[in-house]
C-alpha cells in the first residue's frame, strides 16, 4: 500500500506523518528526543502508512493490553473446549500457576492504567491495519503462554519454591522500576512544553539506572519477563522474552544514537539497554 502523499514539512514528512512520528508506541510516554526526533518511555512505533481510519493511540494500546489480560484468564479458569470436559473450570493444584496468573494480570493492568493516567499521546494516531498486527503478537503469545502454564499436566519449576520466590522478587522489582521510569519521563517535559532535555536520575532509586543506560524502561521491561520466565520455567515465555529483548535492543540503540547526535554533553557512560554491554 503506498504511503500517503501530501505537503511535506521541514523534515520531509507530511502533517499526518509528523503527528504519527511524534506519537509513542508501546506503553510509551511522549517526550522530545534528540536529533529533532521524538522519543518516548515505551516501545517505539512501527513503520507506518496512512490507510483510513486511523484510531487514536490510546485506543490502540487499550485494545492490545486488554486482550492478553482476558485471554490469559480464560485459560486460567479453564473454560470449556480448552483442555477437555473433565478439566472444565477446575483449578491447578500448583501454587506457582496461581502466582503466575497474578503476575501476568498485574503487568497488563499496570499497562492499562499507565495508558489512561501516565502516558501522553499528543493526539497521535495509527493505521487500523497495525492494530491487527500488534494484537496478533500480544494476543497470540498470551494464548500460547497461558495454554502451557495453566495446562493440567503443567510441571512446576525444577527448584521449587526457592526458584519461584527469586523470580517473583525479580519480577516485582522490575515492574516498580518500569513504572518509575515512565513517571520520570512524564515529568521530564510538562504538558505543553517543547523543551528537549536529557533524562537524569531523580530521588527515586529506581531511576538511578539512567546513570548506566539510555532506555532503562526497556531494561526493566525485559527484566520483568526474565523473572516471569524463571518463575514459570515455560518455553513460550522464554521465547516471548527473547523476541521482546531483541526488538527493544534495536529501538534502544536507535534512541541512544539520537541522544548522542542531539546532545553534545550526553553522559558517555551510558549504554542503550544493558549496562556496559549493549
Amino acid at each position: 500500500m503506498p504511503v500517503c502523499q501530501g505537503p511535506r514539512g521541514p523534515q520531509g514528512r507530511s502533517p499526518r506523518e509528523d503527528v504519527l512520528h511524534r506519537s509513542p508506541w508501546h506503553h510509551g510516554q511522549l517526550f522530545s528526543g534528540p536529533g529533532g526526533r521524538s522519543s518516548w518511555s515505551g516501545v517505539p512505533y512501527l513503520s507506518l502508512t496512512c490507510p483510513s481510519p486511523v484510531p487514536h493511540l490510546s485506543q490502540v494500546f487499550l485494545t492490545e493490553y486488554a486482550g492478553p489480560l482476558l485471554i490469559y484468564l480464560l485459560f486460567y479458569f479453564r473454560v470449556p473446549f480448552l483442555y477437555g470436559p473433565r478439566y472444565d473450570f477446575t483449578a491447578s493444584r500448583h501454587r506457582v500457576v496461581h502466582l503466575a496468573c497474578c503476575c501476568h494480570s498485574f503487568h497488563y493492568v499496570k499497562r492499562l492504567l499507565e495508558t489512561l493516567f501516565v502516558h501522553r499521546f499528543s493526539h497521535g494516531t495509527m493505521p487500523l491495519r497495525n492494530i491487527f498486527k500488534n494484537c496478533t503478537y500480544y494476543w497470540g503469545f498470551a494464548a500460547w503462554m497461558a495454554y502451557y502454564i495453566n495446562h493440567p499436566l503443567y510441571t512446576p519449576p525444577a527448584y521449587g519454591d526457592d526458584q519461584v520466590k527469586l523470580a517473583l522478587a525479580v519480577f516485582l522489582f522490575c515492574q516498580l522500576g518500569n513504572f518509575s521510569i515512565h513517571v520520570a519521563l512524564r515529568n521530564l517535559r510538562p504538558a505543553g512544553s517543547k523543551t528537549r532535555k536529557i533524562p537524569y536520575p531523580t530521588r527515586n532509586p529506581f531511576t538511578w539506572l539512567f546513570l548506566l543506560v539510555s532506555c532503562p524502561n526497556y531494561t526493566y521491561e525485559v527484566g520483568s519477563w526474565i523473572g516471569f520466565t524463571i518463575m514459570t520455567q515455560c518455553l513460550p515465555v522464554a521465547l516471548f522474552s527473547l523476541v521482546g529483548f531483541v526488538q527493544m535492543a534495536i529501538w534502544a540503540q536507535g534512541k541512544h544514537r539520537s541522544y548522542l547526535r542531539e546532545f553534545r554533553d550526553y553522559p558517555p557512560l551510558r549504554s542503550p539497554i544493558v549496562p556496559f554491554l549493549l
Side-chain angles (χ1 to χ4, degrees):
M1 180 176 295
V3 178
C4 293
Q5 301 297 321
R8 316 306 290 183
Q11 296 183 355
R13 294 192 297 265
S14 68
R16 172 171 285 185
E17 289 173 317
D18 190 61
V19 171
L20 292 171
H21 186 80
R22 297 196 304 271
S23 303
W25 180 225
H26 290 184
H27 55 282
Q29 170 267 330
L30 178 65
F31 70 98
S32 182
R37 300 179 182 180
S38 293
S39 304
W40 39 88
S41 66
V43 182
Y45 60 87
L46 296 175
S47 58
L48 301 176
T49 56
C50 300
S52 182
V54 280
H56 192 276
L57 281 173
S58 61
Q59 299 172 335
V60 174
F61 300 142
L62 290 174
T63 302
E64 290 178 6
Y65 302 152
L69 177 64
L70 297 176
I71 289 172
Y72 194 101
L73 291 176
L74 292 177
F75 286 91
Y76 174 74
F77 290 112
R78 296 178 179 173
V79 298
F81 309 109
L82 291 179
Y83 299 115
R86 62 177 295 189
Y87 296 112
D88 290 352
F89 297 110
T90 59
S92 174
R93 67 180 186 276
H94 303 301
R95 287 191 300 174
V96 65
V97 172
H98 307 296
L99 181 61
C101 180
C102 292
C103 290
H104 188 274
S105 299
F106 175 84
H107 176 75
Y108 282 102
V109 168
K110 167 182 166 293
R111 284 192 173 190
L112 290 169
L113 293 177
E114 286 176 340
T115 299
L116 293 172
F117 303 112
V118 177
H119 305 317
R120 298 190 180 113
F121 296 99
S122 298
H123 307 290
T125 58
M126 178 184 295
L128 183 61
R129 69 185 184 91
N130 279 4
I131 297 182
F132 297 102
K133 293 191 297 184
N134 302 336
C135 288
T136 298
Y137 170 75
Y138 277 107
W139 296 18
F141 261 114
W144 193 22
M145 292 188 293
Y147 176 81
Y148 285 100
I149 296 173
N150 297 286
H151 197 282
L153 301 180
Y154 170 77
T155 302
Y159 295 96
D161 288 343
D162 290 339
Q163 179 175 336
V164 173
K165 291 176 182 178
L166 173 63
L168 177 62
V170 172
F171 177 84
L172 293 177
F173 179 87
C174 290
Q175 286 287 284
L176 289 173
N178 182 263
F179 174 75
S180 298
I181 298 301
H182 288 168
V183 173
L185 292 175
R186 173 186 173 87
N187 296 335
L188 185 67
R189 194 186 76 172
S193 172
K194 296 183 179 180
T195 303
R196 299 186 180 117
K197 298 179 181 179
I198 300 174
Y200 284 105
T202 67
R203 295 181 180 180
N204 183 341
F206 286 104
T207 66
W208 295 353
L209 193 56
F210 270 124
L211 294 171
L212 300 177
V213 297
S214 296
C215 304
N217 48 312
Y218 296 157
T219 309
Y220 283 125
E221 179 74 9
V222 173
S224 295
W225 287 107
I226 290 175
F228 196 70
T229 300
I230 297 172
M231 178 188 300
T232 59
Q233 199 170 296
C234 183
L235 180 60
V237 182
L239 293 176
F240 180 72
S241 303
L242 178 61
V243 172
F245 170 72
V246 171
Q247 186 61 80
M248 282 185 276
I250 295 172
W251 288 325
Q253 288 175 322
K255 186 183 294 186
H256 182 75
R257 289 192 295 266
S258 296
Y259 280 134
L260 294 175
R261 287 193 298 266
E262 175 72 12
F263 302 107
R264 294 183 178 181
D265 58 341
Y266 192 72
L269 185 63
R270 294 186 186 180
S271 301
I273 186 170
V274 180
F276 310 114
L277 296 177
L278 179 65

